[in-house]
Amino acid sequence: MSRKHLCRETIAFIAFFSTIPIYSPNVVPLRQHLQNDETMGYFVMPMLAAAAIASAISFAHAAASSSRFKKLFRMYSFVSPFGYAACMVYFVLASIGAIPTQTTLVAICAAFVGLFLPRVTIRWGKRLEPLCLQQALFFVCITCVGTAAIDWIFNTLPPVPLATLAASMMLFGTFSPYVLSASGQAGYVEDPKNATQENDPGRLPCITTESDFTDSNDRHAKISLIPRFVSVLVPGLIGLSVFAFHMGVSREVILDSISTEILGNIIASLILVPLCFVRGKQPISVLLFSGIAPVAATALLSYMSIASDFGASDDFISIGIYAFFCIAAQISLALGIAGTHAREFSTPMIWSGFLALFCVFSILGLTLGSILSGKQAIMPQTIAAVYCAYLIIQSVCSLLKNNPPSHDGNPESTDEEGDYARRCEKLAESFSLSPREKEITTYLGRGHTCSYVAKALVISESTVYTHARNIYRKVGIQSKEDLIQILTTDPKSQQNK
């Protein structure tokens, strides 16, 4: 994706993201103009429930990779942007009192918004498929900063300009991916399977039809798809779920203090943006989940434990906690985009799964928050402490499982790195390795484990094992040690082999 297209995609996606109703700061400005505060409750809960159900159905259909109901889903995808836009316009106008507000109509409108939202989100997910993890992280950071700025502007506008701007941005963000795709601009792959096979034979094709499974082994792969999905994207699934749960539980604090969300998003983005330009031996995914996340967790725990001793106000503690959860959410979204780029799982499966979990945990958080009522103040710190402990333990276990390789062939200097890359290139050409196999070879040749490679490439371990077996078979070796030996010997020996 070129910089020009990426800039255009970013502006359009910010317009979509800053008006999406499942993110609570986006509905705060409209809530301020409601004559009846209970109206928001009639909108939020039905919308989240409908979005969760629709996303779960889309996820199940994508995971089953069935061609059944194909026409129904195609029609569903076609009407979704129109239905979503119409219902959102009604809600915006009803919020400012431009049209009569009836709770029944608001609830029905909310249900349709939730019903149509997953397909619009999936369409955006397809537009973002070309972004790798580092590009995706930068894209998400820019989007969150832009959304924070727009939310701040929305809170300063009177009703009519607010409704006009919100509706215009919503329409622009909703229809942009469809217009860009129809115009044939890069960013959306109409047939992921064909594009994968033609442009990059090494990338695992998305399974899209029932005919992809023709024997018992394929059926076994089909059954194991969901466990592989969870194993690859579990950091993102958990991070986004915890963020949604925190927003739900802390809704009174969040809805009454928009500055907390604005500052939290900006702080999180400022922390993560420099990582988008890091060029090192460690893949950005390993750096994020084994470095940044546990360090941020440790810092937050330390901050919460000493903040009261230094007389820090509750607002500063809330901003710190929210910034931490924003970091987790932004990394999770970037991981989801990178997952579509890797193509082990289809875009509908990834984004419907993310959206379903986000909505479910938002509902759980809202429900628990209403039950606890006045005891909500302690919940954000409790949630943060538990999640921080999980991140630290998970990071330690990952480091123990993926010890840094100690082979002599592990390149250290720039010259050795370039020589190593040339040897991998020569090996790939000599034995007709696919691009994905060549990529995995560079990691295995350094002595990295399959678990490390899976995390680095955002694919499952079983997929790495499959590629590794194919590599060993093509090269005519038996183990990773043999591969390391080949890559650490003189290139002439490879030609004589």
Side-chain angles (χ1 to χ4, degrees):
M1 182 183 293
S2 66
R3 290 185 178 181
K4 180 180 178 181
H5 287 164
L6 182 59
C7 181
R8 187 183 306 159
E9 301 279 338
T10 303
I11 294 173
F13 188 74
I14 289 175
F16 171 71
F17 196 79
S18 61
T19 55
I20 192 171
I22 62 172
Y23 182 48
S24 64
N26 295 340
V27 297
V28 171
L30 298 174
R31 179 178 181 265
Q32 295 175 347
H33 297 291
L34 287 173
Q35 297 179 354
N36 183 6
D37 192 53
E38 294 181 356
T39 303
M40 186 59 68
Y42 285 100
F43 179 82
V44 172
M45 293 301 284
M47 180 266 299
L48 289 174
I53 294 172
S55 299
I57 294 174
S58 295
F59 177 83
H61 183 264
S65 304
S66 174
S67 59
R68 290 177 295 180
F69 310 111
K70 185 176 181 179
K71 291 184 178 180
L72 180 62
F73 271 87
R74 184 176 296 176
M75 183 179 299
Y76 173 37
S77 299
F78 176 78
V79 302
S80 287
F82 300 98
Y84 175 78
C87 292
M88 282 298 297
V89 168
Y90 168 81
F91 174 67
V92 170
L93 295 178
S95 298
I96 65 170
I99 57 178
T101 303
Q102 298 181 3
T103 55
T104 302
L105 289 179
V106 169
I108 295 174
C109 170
F112 278 106
V113 168
L115 175 66
F116 297 130
L117 178 60
R119 305 312 295 187
V120 180
T121 304
I122 289 171
R123 179 65 101 174
W124 262 117
K126 291 182 177 180
R127 290 295 306 174
L128 303 179
E129 283 179 0
L131 301 180
C132 66
L133 181 56
Q134 209 156 10
Q135 295 171 326
L137 183 62
F138 182 75
F139 178 85
V140 170
C141 290
I142 297 301
T143 297
C144 289
V145 170
T147 299
I150 291 172
D151 287 337
W152 179 80
I153 294 173
F154 279 177
N155 277 272
T156 64
L157 294 177
V160 175
L162 169 63
T164 302
L165 184 58
S168 300
M169 291 185 62
M170 182 274 301
L171 292 171
F172 174 62
T174 300
F175 288 100
S176 287
Y178 296 87
V179 174
L180 293 173
S181 299
S183 63
Q185 295 185 17
Y188 172 71
V189 181
E190 188 63 34
D191 189 347
K193 183 177 179 181
N194 291 339
T196 298
Q197 292 174 341
E198 294 174 3
N199 301 329
D200 189 351
R203 291 174 70 181
L204 189 67
C206 297
I207 300 171
T208 55
T209 64
E210 190 70 30
S211 60
D212 293 328
F213 301 100
T214 56
D215 55 30
S216 59
N217 292 332
D218 289 333
R219 293 190 184 94
H220 176 72
K222 180 178 178 180
I223 295 172
S224 65
L225 186 63
I226 294 180
R228 287 193 290 115
F229 174 84
V230 174
S231 68
V232 173
L233 298 173
V234 64
L237 296 171
I238 294 178
L240 207 59
S241 299
V242 172
F243 175 77
F245 187 75
H246 169 260
M247 281 205 310
V249 170
S250 310
R251 72 190 192 284
E252 296 297 335
V253 176
I254 291 176
L255 292 178
D256 293 338
S257 179
I258 189 65
S259 61
T260 300
E261 295 184 324
I262 292 176
L263 290 177
N265 256 320
I266 294 175
I267 292 172
S269 298
L270 291 177
I271 292 174
L272 293 176
V273 160
L275 300 176
C276 303
F277 303 97
V278 171
R279 293 292 184 269
K281 297 177 183 178
Q282 291 286 345
I284 184 66
S285 57
V286 176
L287 180 62
L288 287 174
F289 298 113
S290 298
I292 299 302
V295 168
T298 304
L300 180 62
L301 288 176
S302 302
Y303 174 72
M304 290 192 300
S305 63
I306 65 175
S308 58
D309 296 336
F310 288 91
S313 65
D314 292 339
D315 289 338
F316 281 103
I317 296 177
S318 297
I319 291 173
I321 293 175
Y322 193 81
F324 171 74
F325 283 118
C326 284
I327 290 175
Q330 290 180 20
I331 292 176
S332 300
L333 290 174
L335 182 65
I337 297 174
T340 63
H341 179 76
R343 290 193 186 281
E344 181 165 357
F345 311 104
S346 66
T347 300
M349 184 176 182
I350 291 177
W351 287 115
S352 59
F354 271 51
L355 187 59
L357 276 181
F358 186 90
C359 293
V360 167
F361 278 89
S362 294
I363 293 173
L364 293 176
L366 288 168
T367 303
L368 182 60
S370 63
I371 294 174
L372 294 177
S373 186
K375 300 180 181 180
Q376 289 176 319
I378 64 172
M379 285 304 298
Q381 298 187 32
T382 303
I383 298 170
V386 173
Y387 184 53
C388 286
Y390 159 77
L391 288 176
I392 295 172
I393 294 173
Q394 185 269 340
S395 177
V396 172
C397 294
S398 178
L399 289 175
L400 293 176
K401 184 178 181 181
N402 302 303
N403 290 321
S406 58
H407 297 278
D408 296 334
N410 193 23
E412 296 178 356
S413 67
T414 303
D415 292 338
E416 290 175 336
E417 180 73 24
D419 184 59
Y420 179 80
R422 286 190 293 271
R423 293 184 181 187
C424 290
E425 182 73 30
K426 181 65 176 178
L427 184 73
E429 292 179 359
S430 300
F431 297 99
S432 302
L433 299 183
S434 70
R436 177 63 90 188
E437 290 170 347
K438 173 189 169 185
E439 191 175 19
I440 292 176
T441 297
T442 61
Y443 285 103
L444 296 179
R446 292 187 174 108
H448 290 297
T449 64
C450 288
S451 177
Y452 179 95
V453 178
K455 183 180 294 185
L457 300 181
V458 197
I459 56 178
S460 65
E461 288 188 42
S462 62
T463 299
V464 177
Y465 282 119
T466 300
H467 282 302
R469 285 195 297 268
N470 291 336
I471 293 169
Y472 300 159
R473 175 179 54 80
K474 290 181 179 180
V475 180
I477 57 179
Q478 300 297 324
S479 66
K480 181 171 63 178
E481 285 68 25
D482 295 338
L483 181 63
I484 294 171
Q485 183 65 30
I486 291 176
L487 293 174
T488 55
T489 56
D490 189 87
K492 294 182 179 179
S493 62
Q494 296 179 19
Q495 297 175 356
N496 296 331
K497 187 169 179 178

